[in-house]
Amino acid sequence: MKEVIQDVYRGWNITVKAEQNKCSNYSFNITDPSGHTQNVAMGGENEQRALERAREMVDMEVDFAAED
């Protein structure tokens, strides 16, 4: 099992870590282009699902910013 996965999606940095928290096995951080970081402690049951959730969160943040 990989301990840390890093990805860049739509200009945002995503870091997925193996970290057990209740029913979740992975957590993730998303960092916007300005450097602001958000942490999700219960990211998913596997690394792929945590990465998908992180990308979904980035999509929501980008969409909200476009509405302003």
Side-chain angles (χ1 to χ4, degrees), residues 9-39:
Y9 178 71
R10 298 182 77 174
W12 291 54
N13 293 315
I14 298 172
T15 303
V16 175
K17 297 179 185 176
E19 183 176 0
Q20 289 191 332
N21 187 355
K22 299 183 182 180
C23 63
S24 177
N25 295 319
Y26 289 84
S27 65
F28 65 82
N29 293 333
I30 60 171
T31 305
D32 68 19
S34 71
H36 179 258
T37 299
Q38 298 179 54
N39 176 267

